[in-house]
Amino acid sequence: MTTGCGQVDLGRFFRGLHGGSLSESVYDRWWKLARERALTESQVSSPLVRRPYDLRHAAASLWLNASVPPTEVARRLGHGVAVLLRVYANCIDGGDDTMNDKIGDALG
């Protein structure tokens, strides 16, 4: 698909003036402004979503903790299961009782 300017639209949520990528400095400036407007002062001074990439980590953690199969999470993130588990295995939190019940049910 092309934009009205004849450039290819790569499905970006944010686009530059002529439909292409935003420069890193523009993106960074707008991201900082959005954080300041959306978060409390203490949250802004914390590492909470300091970079847009942090949202990717939050999504992966949420999906894994919601028991979405690792193969599907890896597919959505665009990498393999081995990379997913190496990077995100430590974010899976809690659920010990649920996992023990699942193992017990499988064993009969």
Side-chain angles (χ1 to χ4, degrees):
M1 174 193 299
T2 61
T3 67
C5 300
Q7 293 185 1
V8 176
D9 178 355
L10 299 175
R12 292 184 172 88
F13 190 70
F14 300 108
R15 293 187 204 104
L17 185 60
H18 300 290
S21 299
L22 290 176
S23 71
E24 193 171 322
S25 64
V26 169
Y27 198 91
D28 187 54
R29 197 166 46 245
W30 280 102
W31 186 258
K32 286 178 181 176
L33 179 63
R35 282 184 83 243
E36 290 169 2
R37 292 198 178 178
L39 304 176
T40 66
E41 256 184 68
S42 65
Q43 290 171 328
V44 169
S45 64
S46 78
L48 181 66
V49 291
R50 185 159 289 152
R51 308 162 301 158
Y53 198 75
D54 295 333
L55 296 174
R56 177 182 169 90
H57 291 294
S61 299
L62 175 73
W63 297 337
L64 288 169
N65 281 296
S67 299
V68 175
T71 51
E72 178 60 15
V73 175
R75 185 189 69 75
R76 290 175 181 229
L77 295 174
H79 52 62
V81 174
V83 171
L84 173 83
L85 295 177
R86 185 175 69 243
V87 174
Y88 295 102
N90 63 343
C91 79
I92 301 171
D93 187 35
D96 290 342
D97 292 337
T98 302
M99 294 303 134
N100 289 338
D101 289 345
K102 286 182 177 184
I103 292 168
D105 290 347
L107 293 172

